Amino acid sequence: MSARPGLLAVWRIRGRKSLRGLRGIRGPQSIRWRLTLVYSGLFVVAGAVLLALTYALMSERGEQTSMTRPDVPPGEWGAGAPAVQGYVREQLVAQRSDQLHQLFVESGVALGVMVLASLVLGWLMAGRVLAPLRSMTGAVRRISADALHRRLAVAGPADELKDLADTFDDLLARLEGAFEAQRRFVANASHELRTPLTLQQAVIDVALADPGADAETLRAACLRVRAAGLEQERLIEALLTLALSQRGVPEREFVDLAVVAGELLPDGGPRVSAELSPAALVGDPRLIGRLVSNLVENAVRHNVPSGEGGWVSVWTGVVDGRACLRVVNSGPVVPGDQVGVLFEPFRGVGAERVRARGRAREGSGLGLSIVAAIAAAHGGVVEARARGEGGLWVEVLFPPPPPENQPLRRLRSGGSGAAPPSSDGNG
């Protein structure tokens, strides 16, 4: 009785192994086998059709064989001619039947032999055709997140396999750029978030280390800690806005750029001139408001120092049926090859872009990055150029809006739903 559980366990183990073995018996799963079967199947079909046509032609030709003797007239055959003729006809029919049967059997055997040969040849040819694909598969397996600089670099004629390899190389290049940008973004964000924390800790440590600190000293320390906390809050809000805009636009409604820009024009700072014509688009009004706010704030912040005649120009309108926002400002000269850098997170061009003195807050370095992300989420395009006399020229084009009779909420002039101005300009 005690041995039965052990035997039962052994039987279960063997049974599971046998079941796994049966599950492993499947049809040909590799593309090489499938190509081989396709080649062989096509050969079988073509051979069978050829055999059938040959058999039909030979059978028809045998039935049309003449029974007359060309050298003896029918009248000279004699009295026994009909019997002889019938006998000869029967023999010819039997002989023709035997020949057709022999032809059919021999052709079938030949077809079977050629089917086996086609399997071998199909296997070899499929392997030769798929050899570049196996090489690419091995190269792809050796590529990891730490080796995205590798490429397939397939040489040869411009066929489908080379197009596939080139497309994969382009994908690897984009992935490498995305990974590098992500690493740089994480490093910069960590640095930006660590700076206020370090400041807060230093202020608290200094206040605690002073044995004679009075209420006024502690109050000043608390105010500095609060200011550092607000800076962290603004940075985190900018990061959340950037992440939200990169995910896409979940809700869309009609937005008038002229209404949004009119509500977000700054009151102080450089001279602001606005030419706001109606420009309708479909999108998230909060994100559109952040885009307009960041562009205007960036133009105001990175301008010439106060009192030197700085200016900002804001224009909205329709260009080729597309809503357009254009912001131009004076300011320090920006190198033309450095304009694209301004749209990367936490990137700037150094001392060339002088921040205006006396501003209470500096930019977080995400303003133009958020602008580019919001425009991309709405299917728009951002174009920026450096002005030779100083400053930037930035234009954002949005896709044409759909007809207004579609089920979208119409944005009224009385409430644009735009987000309030936020100092997320590129610092």
Side-chain angles (χ1 to χ4, degrees), residues 333-415:
V333 176
V334 180
D337 58 347
Q338 296 294 315
V339 174
V341 176
L342 300 175
F343 289 87
E344 298 181 12
F346 304 108
R347 296 293 297 273
V349 295
E352 287 81 359
R353 305 210 74 191
V354 181
R355 294 186 177 94
R357 305 299 179 185
R359 300 233 188 270
R361 294 180 296 182
E362 299 289 355
S364 63
L366 293 172
L368 293 183
S369 301
I370 293 175
V371 168
I374 293 176
H378 288 80
V381 178
V382 180
E383 182 180 357
R385 293 198 299 265
R387 301 177 67 250
E389 57 273 24
L392 280 178
W393 178 96
V394 183
E395 182 179 83
V396 185
L397 281 172
F398 294 92
E404 295 187 11
N405 55 6
Q406 290 191 4
L408 292 172
R409 291 183 297 168
R410 176 65 180 173
L411 182 65
R412 308 247 177 224
S413 300

Side-chain angles (χ1 to χ4, degrees), residues 10 15 75 81-82 99 106 145 169 184 209 231 280 300 322 340 347 367 398 420:
V10 172
Q99 291 176 348
E106 293 177 351
D169 285 343
R184 187 169 58 246
E231 182 180 353
V300 171
R322 307 172 67 181
R347 296 293 297 273
F398 294 92

Side-chain angles (χ1 to χ4, degrees), residues 53-372:
L53 290 177
T54 303
Y55 187 86
L57 291 175
M58 293 298 295
S59 177
E60 183 180 358
R61 181 180 180 183
E63 292 178 356
Q64 294 177 354
T65 303
S66 175
M67 300 304 300
T68 61
R69 295 177 56 188
D71 54 342
V72 180
E76 299 180 2
W77 283 15
V84 174
Q85 185 177 5
Y87 174 77
V88 171
R89 184 182 296 276
E90 291 178 358
Q91 293 298 320
L92 288 175
V93 170
Q95 183 180 3
R96 184 176 67 249
S97 178
D98 293 340
Q99 291 176 348
L100 290 176
H101 179 71
Q102 184 178 3
L103 174 65
F104 180 78
V105 172
E106 293 177 351
S107 300
V109 172
L111 180 61
V113 173
M114 292 307 298
V115 166
L116 296 178
S118 68
L119 286 173
V120 176
L121 293 176
W123 175 263
L124 296 177
M125 292 303 298
R128 185 176 180 85
V129 170
L130 296 176
L133 190 59
R134 288 196 298 271
S135 300
M136 288 190 291
T137 302
V140 170
R141 285 173 179 168
R142 292 189 294 270
I143 296 175
S144 62
D146 297 328
L148 290 176
H149 62 279
R150 296 181 179 178
R151 298 292 182 268
L152 299 180
V154 174
D159 54 7
E160 289 81 358
L161 291 178
K162 182 171 174 54
D163 291 342
L164 176 62
D166 293 342
T167 303
F168 192 81
D169 285 343
D170 295 339
L171 176 61
L172 285 177
R174 292 193 296 270
L175 282 177
E176 183 181 12
F179 270 71
E180 188 62 29
Q182 183 185 25
R183 294 190 186 101
R184 187 169 58 246
F185 178 81
V186 171
N188 292 331
S190 301
H191 175 73
E192 293 291 333
L193 288 172
R194 186 176 58 184
T195 301
L197 290 175
T198 304
L199 176 61
Q200 288 177 340
Q201 184 176 357
V203 171
I204 294 175
D205 290 342
V206 169
L208 293 178
D210 185 4
D214 55 3
E216 189 65 26
T217 303
L218 295 177
R219 178 180 178 83
C222 291
L223 290 177
R224 294 185 64 185
V225 171
R226 184 175 183 275
L230 292 176
E231 182 180 353
Q232 285 180 299
E233 182 181 357
R234 288 193 298 270
L235 180 58
I236 293 174
E237 182 183 358
L239 291 172
L240 290 176
T241 303
L242 181 60
L244 177 63
S245 58
Q246 289 176 341
R247 282 205 312 265
V249 184
E251 296 182 1
R252 295 175 181 266
E253 59 184 67
F254 283 99
V255 181
D256 191 348
L257 275 179
V259 175
V260 177
E263 295 181 355
L264 299 178
L265 292 178
D267 297 330
R271 176 175 54 88
V272 178
S273 62
E275 183 180 348
L276 306 178
S277 301
L281 61 97
V282 172
D284 188 334
R286 187 178 67 86
L287 292 179
I288 296 298
R290 179 60 61 87
L291 180 146
V292 176
S293 173
N294 284 4
L295 278 180
V296 175
E297 290 262 342
N298 188 79
V300 171
R301 178 178 293 109
H302 300 287
N303 215 301
V304 297
S306 178
E308 296 185 8
W311 55 270
V312 176
S313 173
V314 181
W315 179 88
T316 62
V318 178
V319 177
D320 297 330
R322 307 172 67 181
C324 176
L325 169 67
R326 188 178 302 147
V327 178
V328 187
N329 65 283
S330 61
V333 176
V334 180
D337 58 347
Q338 296 294 315
V339 174
V341 176
L342 300 175
F343 289 87
E344 298 181 12
F346 304 108
R347 296 293 297 273
V349 295
E352 287 81 359
R353 305 210 74 191
V354 181
R355 294 186 177 94
R357 305 299 179 185
R359 300 233 188 270
R361 294 180 296 182
E362 299 289 355
S364 63
L366 293 172
L368 293 183
S369 301
I370 293 175
V371 168

